[in-house]
Amino acid sequence: MRLVIDSANIESIKKLVEYFPIDGVTTNPSIVVKEQKPFLPLLKEIRAVIGEEKELFAQTIAGDAEGMGEEARWLCEAVSGNVVVKIPVTMEGIKAIKMLKAEGIRTLATTVYTPMNAYLAAKAGADYVAPYVNRIDNLTGNGAKVVAEITEIFSKHNLSCEILAASFKNVQQIHNVCLAGSHGITASPELIEALVNIPSIEDNVKAFRQDWMGQYGEGSLILSEDK
């Protein structure tokens, strides 16, 4: 199951790549603008941090299929390594996904709200679909259920496209889509860290260390004890 950082902040990405088993980084226009840096140099900086093998997702801006195609080709030429182009699931976007599939350019279908959005994108040739879990929940829907239904459709009809669930506000939503069969999640640095930031863990570790130091002395380590 893939774990992808949803951020363009270099320091956050550096920290998460150091500590966690990260598979890639995904960006979107809003995330990029937030960093207030030139677009292409920022993508290249992210690539330098994560290496050539990890996936880097970048989104097109054009509203028509031809424009999306031009931007996708430019992204793949301008940025080295494993690039996946994010395309919205509009009619023009579906057309662009078909076109790019024929050219061998990998795509992620973004702004997915329904299983039928995902089905069309997968059939058009998308490598990934990204259902917007929290946004679906906010529309009185059920994001985890949408992910589960997409999983079932892909499985029953042998669609090779993977689900990379997105748009989370809490760890419980991530937990729910993992159980629903998502092939991966893309989450903010804060939420990824929240997966292990549980006070009870720190309390337990502190108690273990106190017991050890009480017996063997302050500053002692396991390697310093006789075997």
Side-chain angles (χ1 to χ4, degrees), residues 115-193:
M116 291 298 95
N117 292 163
Y119 162 72
L120 283 173
K123 189 168 175 59
D127 294 275
Y128 298 98
V129 294
Y132 278 8
V133 176
N134 186 68
R135 297 189 188 193
I136 294 169
D137 286 350
N138 288 341
L139 293 173
T140 67
N142 186 322
K145 182 179 179 183
V146 168
V147 170
E149 291 178 353
I150 295 172
T151 301
E152 186 174 357
I153 290 169
F154 284 8
S155 176
K156 284 185 175 179
H157 300 285
N158 298 315
L159 294 167
S160 60
C161 183
E162 293 188 17
I163 303 164
L164 188 62
S167 176
F168 299 105
K169 288 299 180 185
N170 56 63
V171 170
Q172 186 61 50
Q173 289 175 325
I174 295 175
H175 174 90
N176 292 343
V177 301
C178 289
L179 291 176
S182 184
H183 302 102
I185 60 104
T186 169
S188 68
E190 294 77 16
L191 276 181
I192 292 175
E193 290 190 31

Side-chain angles (χ1 to χ4, degrees), residues 194-213:
L195 297 176
V196 293
N197 283 345
I198 299 171
S200 294
I201 295 176
E202 294 297 331
D203 291 343
N204 294 160
V205 172
K206 183 178 179 181
F208 293 149
R209 289 181 60 83
Q210 287 176 339
D211 289 346
W212 177 273
M213 300 305 177

